[in-house]
Amino acid sequence: MSHLFTNRKETEMSEYTVTVKFAPPGTTYVDPKTGKIGTSSVGHVWLEARESGQKELFSAGWSPGRDKKIAGKDNLSLTDWNDYKEDNGHYIHSITVKITKEQFERLQAYPKLAATGKIAGFRSTEAPQNGFLGLGGIDYPGKPPRNHDTHYNVFTNSCIDFAGQGLAHIGLAGKSFDGNPLLMPDKQIEDFLEQMAKHSRSDISVRFEGKTHILKDGENLEKFWDKVAPNRHDVPYYMQNEPQPAQETLYAHNAPDQEKPLQTAEEYNPFLAYLENNPVTAEDAERFMQSVQDYDNELREQEMMMAMQQSRGRGMSM
């Protein structure tokens, strides 16, 4: 009888955590099937979760997969925790927060739901065609058949979207949260932390540039980042990573077996590399540019509101 009571007590005392990890461009990537060592050209975002006292680790991310004609499960990457290797020049940032057992179980079910089109915010239901961009439009020769509504998509169904919607699925982010559409994977940490701080009621552990910091529950985020990375905005986000050496072989994100040597690193643009062999329709381009414009307008409105609030504050102090 006491043995049963002890087991129940240990179960009740179990703690659960979820971690979002952000790997920068240039991070070492080991192909789990071939063992081939390469580098991630654009970086990666994925989710991990743990139950205290258990060796087994939950890990799930979203990748281009190995066959662009197969959507869904082929895009799931379940060993990211072991495939991406941190070194002194490429720190993997992370955010960790406590969750409930219910949230832990919901997260474990999330990958299968996302891969089978059952997460409303992960891929627009208005455009079920599964081409590389997945935005619909006219057909082109070789375009995959319309038999699935989930596929990797650099703009709408990327690893960032997958991680953001995973947090939303367990209540740690807003329902429509899928990261910042204009930033690379490793530059998403501020947006993700903002959501997680807003939707959790506990301290959060932030691993940034090789050091661990604690964001206290209710602590001001701006002041937190001013302490952790005071110079983070001195250089535009897209210029903050050091360029990779020229003449180096650069790889497609999460798929080093699809290597494509380029003349110089300066000529390399990951998005253009993706699109080079994946035709884009005029409708695709128009929708993407509209999403960028909408986001830009939203930022401008926020800046105006902040300026007005600051102006009112100065007026009141006078």
Side-chain angles (χ1 to χ4, degrees), residues 31-79:
D31 188 291
K33 292 188 177 180
T34 66
K36 185 176 181 179
I37 300 175
T39 56
S40 176
S41 59
V42 297
H44 189 46
V45 179
W46 72 94
L47 299 170
E48 294 180 7
R50 290 179 181 273
E51 177 183 357
S52 61
Q54 299 296 318
K55 293 183 178 180
E56 188 173 350
L57 168 72
F58 167 87
S59 177
W62 192 252
S63 75
R66 296 181 175 276
D67 188 341
K68 294 174 184 175
K69 295 182 180 180
I70 302 176
K73 292 183 179 179
D74 181 56
N75 301 113
L76 287 174
S77 52
L78 304 178
T79 57

Coordinates of all heavy atoms in Angstrom, one line a residue, residues 31-79:
D31 N 23.6 15.2 -40.1 CA 22.4 14.5 -40.7 C 22.2 13.2 -39.9 O 23.1 12.3 -39.8 CB 22.7 14.1 -42.1 CG 21.4 13.6 -42.8 OD1 21.0 12.5 -42.5 OD2 20.9 14.3 -43.7
P32 N 21.0 13.0 -39.3 CA 20.7 11.9 -38.4 C 20.7 10.5 -39.2 O 20.9 9.5 -38.6 CB 19.3 12.2 -37.9 CG 18.7 13.1 -38.9 CD 19.8 13.9 -39.4
K33 N 20.5 10.6 -40.5 CA 20.5 9.3 -41.3 C 21.8 8.9 -41.9 O 22.2 7.8 -41.9 CB 19.4 9.4 -42.4 CG 18.0 9.5 -41.8 CD 16.9 9.4 -42.9 CE 15.5 9.4 -42.4 NZ 14.5 9.3 -43.4
T34 N 22.5 9.9 -42.3 CA 23.8 9.7 -43.0 C 25.0 9.9 -42.1 O 26.1 9.4 -42.4 CB 23.9 10.5 -44.3 OG1 24.0 11.9 -43.9 CG2 22.7 10.3 -45.2
G35 N 24.8 10.7 -41.1 CA 26.0 11.1 -40.2 C 26.8 12.2 -40.9 O 27.9 12.6 -40.3
K36 N 26.4 12.7 -42.0 CA 27.2 13.7 -42.7 C 27.2 15.0 -42.0 O 26.1 15.5 -41.5 CB 26.7 13.9 -44.1 CG 27.5 14.8 -45.0 CD 27.0 14.9 -46.4 CE 27.8 15.8 -47.3 NZ 27.3 15.9 -48.7
I37 N 28.3 15.6 -41.8 CA 28.4 16.9 -41.0 C 28.4 18.1 -42.0 O 29.2 18.1 -43.0 CB 29.7 16.9 -40.2 CG1 29.7 15.8 -39.2 CG2 29.8 18.3 -39.5 CD1 31.0 15.7 -38.4
G38 N 27.5 19.0 -41.8 CA 27.4 20.2 -42.6 C 27.1 21.4 -41.7 O 27.4 21.4 -40.5
T39 N 26.6 22.4 -42.3 CA 26.2 23.6 -41.5 C 24.8 24.0 -41.9 O 24.4 23.8 -43.1 CB 27.1 24.8 -41.7 OG1 27.2 25.1 -43.1 CG2 28.5 24.5 -41.2
S40 N 24.0 24.6 -41.0 CA 22.7 25.1 -41.3 C 22.9 26.5 -41.9 O 23.5 27.4 -41.2 CB 21.9 25.2 -40.0 OG 20.6 25.8 -40.3
S41 N 22.4 26.7 -43.1 CA 22.7 28.0 -43.8 C 21.9 29.2 -43.2 O 22.3 30.3 -43.3 CB 22.5 27.9 -45.3 OG 21.2 27.5 -45.5
V42 N 20.6 28.9 -42.8 CA 19.8 30.0 -42.3 C 19.4 29.8 -40.8 O 18.7 30.7 -40.3 CB 18.5 30.1 -43.1 CG1 18.8 30.4 -44.6 CG2 17.7 28.8 -43.1
G43 N 19.8 28.7 -40.2 CA 19.4 28.5 -38.8 C 18.2 27.7 -38.7 O 17.6 27.3 -39.6
H44 N 17.7 27.6 -37.4 CA 16.6 26.7 -37.2 C 16.0 27.0 -35.8 O 16.6 27.5 -34.9 CB 17.1 25.2 -37.2 CG 16.0 24.2 -37.1 ND1 14.8 24.3 -37.9 CD2 15.8 23.1 -36.4 CE1 14.1 23.2 -37.7 NE2 14.6 22.5 -36.8
V45 N 14.7 26.7 -35.7 CA 14.0 26.9 -34.4 C 13.2 25.6 -34.2 O 12.6 25.0 -35.1 CB 12.9 28.0 -34.5 CG1 12.2 28.1 -33.1 CG2 13.6 29.3 -34.8
W46 N 13.3 25.1 -32.9 CA 12.5 23.8 -32.6 C 12.1 23.8 -31.1 O 12.5 24.7 -30.4 CB 13.3 22.6 -33.0 CG 14.5 22.3 -32.1 CD1 14.5 21.4 -31.0 CD2 15.9 22.8 -32.2 NE1 15.8 21.4 -30.4 CE2 16.6 22.2 -31.2 CE3 16.5 23.7 -33.1 CZ2 18.0 22.5 -31.0 CZ3 17.8 23.9 -32.9 CH2 18.6 23.3 -31.9
L47 N 11.3 22.9 -30.8 CA 10.7 22.8 -29.4 C 11.3 21.5 -28.7 O 11.4 20.5 -29.4 CB 9.2 22.7 -29.5 CG 8.4 23.8 -30.1 CD1 7.0 23.5 -30.3 CD2 8.6 25.1 -29.3
E48 N 11.5 21.6 -27.4 CA 11.9 20.5 -26.6 C 11.0 20.5 -25.3 O 10.6 21.6 -24.9 CB 13.3 20.6 -26.2 CG 14.3 20.4 -27.4 CD 15.8 20.4 -27.0 OE1 16.0 20.5 -25.8 OE2 16.6 20.4 -27.9
A49 N 10.8 19.4 -24.7 CA 10.1 19.4 -23.5 C 10.6 18.2 -22.6 O 11.0 17.2 -23.2 CB 8.6 19.2 -23.7
R50 N 10.6 18.4 -21.3 CA 11.1 17.4 -20.4 C 10.1 17.2 -19.2 O 9.4 18.1 -18.8 CB 12.4 17.8 -19.8 CG 13.6 17.8 -20.8 CD 14.9 18.2 -20.1 NE 16.0 18.3 -21.0 CZ 16.8 17.2 -21.3 NH1 16.5 16.0 -20.7 NH2 17.8 17.3 -22.1
E51 N 10.1 15.9 -18.7 CA 9.5 15.6 -17.5 C 10.6 15.3 -16.5 O 11.5 14.5 -16.8 CB 8.5 14.4 -17.6 CG 7.9 14.0 -16.3 CD 7.0 12.8 -16.4 OE1 6.9 12.2 -17.5 OE2 6.5 12.3 -15.4
S52 N 10.6 15.9 -15.3 CA 11.6 15.7 -14.4 C 11.8 14.2 -14.0 O 10.8 13.5 -13.9 CB 11.4 16.5 -13.1 OG 10.1 16.1 -12.5
G53 N 13.1 13.8 -13.9 CA 13.3 12.4 -13.6 C 13.3 11.5 -14.7 O 13.6 10.3 -14.6
Q54 N 12.9 11.9 -15.9 CA 12.8 11.1 -17.1 C 14.0 11.3 -18.0 O 14.3 12.5 -18.3 CB 11.5 11.3 -17.8 CG 10.3 11.0 -17.0 CD 10.2 9.5 -16.5 OE1 10.5 8.6 -17.3 NE2 9.8 9.3 -15.3
K55 N 14.6 10.3 -18.6 CA 15.7 10.5 -19.5 C 15.2 10.8 -20.9 O 15.9 11.5 -21.7 CB 16.5 9.2 -19.6 CG 17.3 8.9 -18.3 CD 18.1 7.6 -18.5 CE 18.9 7.3 -17.2 NZ 19.7 6.1 -17.3
E56 N 14.0 10.4 -21.3 CA 13.5 10.6 -22.6 C 13.1 12.1 -22.8 O 12.5 12.7 -21.9 CB 12.2 9.7 -22.8 CG 11.7 9.8 -24.3 CD 10.6 8.8 -24.5 OE1 10.3 8.0 -23.6 OE2 10.0 8.9 -25.6
L57 N 13.5 12.6 -23.9 CA 13.3 14.0 -24.2 C 12.4 14.2 -25.4 O 12.6 13.5 -26.4 CB 14.6 14.7 -24.5 CG 14.6 16.1 -25.1 CD1 14.2 17.1 -24.1 CD2 16.0 16.5 -25.7
F58 N 11.4 15.1 -25.3 CA 10.5 15.3 -26.4 C 11.2 16.4 -27.3 O 11.7 17.4 -26.7 CB 9.2 15.8 -26.0 CG 8.3 16.5 -27.1 CD1 7.5 15.7 -27.9 CD2 8.4 17.8 -27.3 CE1 6.8 16.2 -28.9 CE2 7.6 18.4 -28.3 CZ 6.8 17.6 -29.1
S59 N 11.3 16.2 -28.6 CA 11.9 17.2 -29.5 C 11.2 17.2 -30.8 O 10.9 16.1 -31.3 CB 13.4 16.9 -29.7 OG 14.0 17.9 -30.6
A60 N 10.8 18.4 -31.3 CA 10.1 18.4 -32.6 C 10.4 19.7 -33.3 O 10.3 20.8 -32.7 CB 8.6 18.3 -32.3
G61 N 10.6 19.6 -34.6 CA 10.8 20.8 -35.4 C 10.2 20.6 -36.8 O 9.7 19.5 -37.1
W62 N 10.3 21.5 -37.7 CA 9.7 21.4 -39.0 C 10.8 21.8 -40.0 O 11.4 22.8 -40.0 CB 8.6 22.4 -39.1 CG 7.7 22.3 -40.3 CD1 7.6 23.1 -41.4 CD2 6.7 21.2 -40.5 NE1 6.6 22.6 -42.3 CE2 6.1 21.5 -41.7 CE3 6.3 20.1 -39.7 CZ2 5.0 20.7 -42.2 CZ3 5.3 19.3 -40.2 CH2 4.7 19.6 -41.5
S63 N 11.0 20.9 -41.0 CA 12.1 21.0 -41.9 C 11.6 20.9 -43.4 O 10.5 20.4 -43.6 CB 13.2 20.0 -41.7 OG 12.8 18.7 -42.1
P64 N 12.4 21.2 -44.4 CA 12.0 21.0 -45.8 C 11.7 19.5 -46.1 O 11.0 19.3 -47.1 CB 13.2 21.5 -46.6 CG 13.9 22.5 -45.7 CD 13.7 21.9 -44.3
G65 N 12.3 18.6 -45.3 CA 12.1 17.2 -45.6 C 13.0 16.7 -46.8 O 13.8 17.5 -47.3
R66 N 12.8 15.5 -47.1 CA 13.7 14.9 -48.2 C 13.1 14.8 -49.5 O 13.7 14.6 -50.5 CB 14.2 13.6 -47.7 CG 15.1 13.7 -46.5 CD 15.6 12.3 -46.0 NE 16.5 12.5 -44.9 CZ 17.8 12.8 -45.0 NH1 18.3 12.9 -46.2 NH2 18.6 13.0 -43.9
D67 N 11.7 15.0 -49.6 CA 11.0 14.8 -50.8 C 10.0 15.9 -50.9 O 9.0 15.9 -50.1 CB 10.4 13.4 -50.9 CG 9.8 13.2 -52.3 OD1 9.6 14.1 -53.1 OD2 9.6 12.0 -52.6
K68 N 10.1 16.9 -51.8 CA 9.2 18.0 -51.9 C 7.8 17.6 -52.4 O 6.9 18.4 -52.3 CB 9.8 19.1 -52.8 CG 11.0 19.7 -52.3 CD 11.7 20.7 -53.2 CE 13.0 21.2 -52.7 NZ 13.7 22.1 -53.7
K69 N 7.7 16.3 -52.9 CA 6.4 15.9 -53.3 C 5.6 15.2 -52.2 O 4.5 14.8 -52.3 CB 6.6 14.9 -54.5 CG 7.1 15.5 -55.7 CD 7.2 14.5 -56.9 CE 7.8 15.2 -58.1 NZ 7.9 14.2 -59.2
I70 N 6.3 15.0 -51.0 CA 5.6 14.4 -49.9 C 5.4 15.5 -48.8 O 6.4 16.1 -48.3 CB 6.5 13.2 -49.3 CG1 6.7 12.2 -50.4 CG2 5.8 12.6 -48.1 CD1 7.6 11.0 -49.9
A71 N 4.2 15.7 -48.4 CA 4.0 16.7 -47.4 C 3.7 16.1 -46.1 O 3.3 14.9 -46.0 CB 2.8 17.6 -47.8
G72 N 3.8 16.9 -45.0 CA 3.4 16.4 -43.7 C 4.5 15.7 -42.9 O 5.5 16.4 -42.5
K73 N 4.4 14.4 -42.6 CA 5.3 13.7 -41.7 C 6.8 13.8 -42.2 O 7.7 13.7 -41.4 CB 4.9 12.3 -41.6 CG 3.6 12.1 -40.8 CD 3.2 10.7 -40.5 CE 1.9 10.6 -39.7 NZ 1.6 9.1 -39.5
D74 N 6.9 13.9 -43.6 CA 8.3 14.0 -44.1 C 9.0 15.3 -43.6 O 10.2 15.3 -43.6 CB 8.3 13.9 -45.6 CG 9.6 14.0 -46.2 OD1 10.5 13.1 -45.9 OD2 9.9 14.9 -47.0
N75 N 8.2 16.3 -43.2 CA 8.8 17.5 -42.8 C 9.1 17.6 -41.3 O 9.7 18.5 -40.9 CB 7.8 18.7 -43.2 CG 7.5 18.7 -44.6 OD1 6.4 18.5 -45.1 ND2 8.5 19.0 -45.4
L76 N 8.6 16.6 -40.6 CA 8.9 16.6 -39.1 C 10.4 16.2 -38.9 O 10.9 15.3 -39.5 CB 8.0 15.6 -38.4 CG 6.5 16.0 -38.2 CD1 5.7 14.9 -37.6 CD2 6.4 17.3 -37.4
S77 N 11.0 17.0 -38.0 CA 12.4 16.6 -37.6 C 12.3 16.4 -36.1 O 12.1 17.4 -35.3 CB 13.4 17.7 -38.0 OG 13.0 19.0 -37.5
L78 N 12.5 15.2 -35.7 CA 12.3 14.8 -34.3 C 13.6 14.6 -33.5 O 13.6 14.2 -32.3 CB 11.5 13.6 -34.2 CG 10.1 13.7 -34.9 CD1 9.3 12.3 -34.8 CD2 9.3 14.8 -34.3
T79 N 14.8 14.9 -34.1 CA 16.0 14.7 -33.4 C 16.9 16.0 -33.5 O 18.1 15.9 -33.4 CB 16.8 13.5 -34.1 OG1 17.0 13.8 -35.5 CG2 16.1 12.2 -33.9

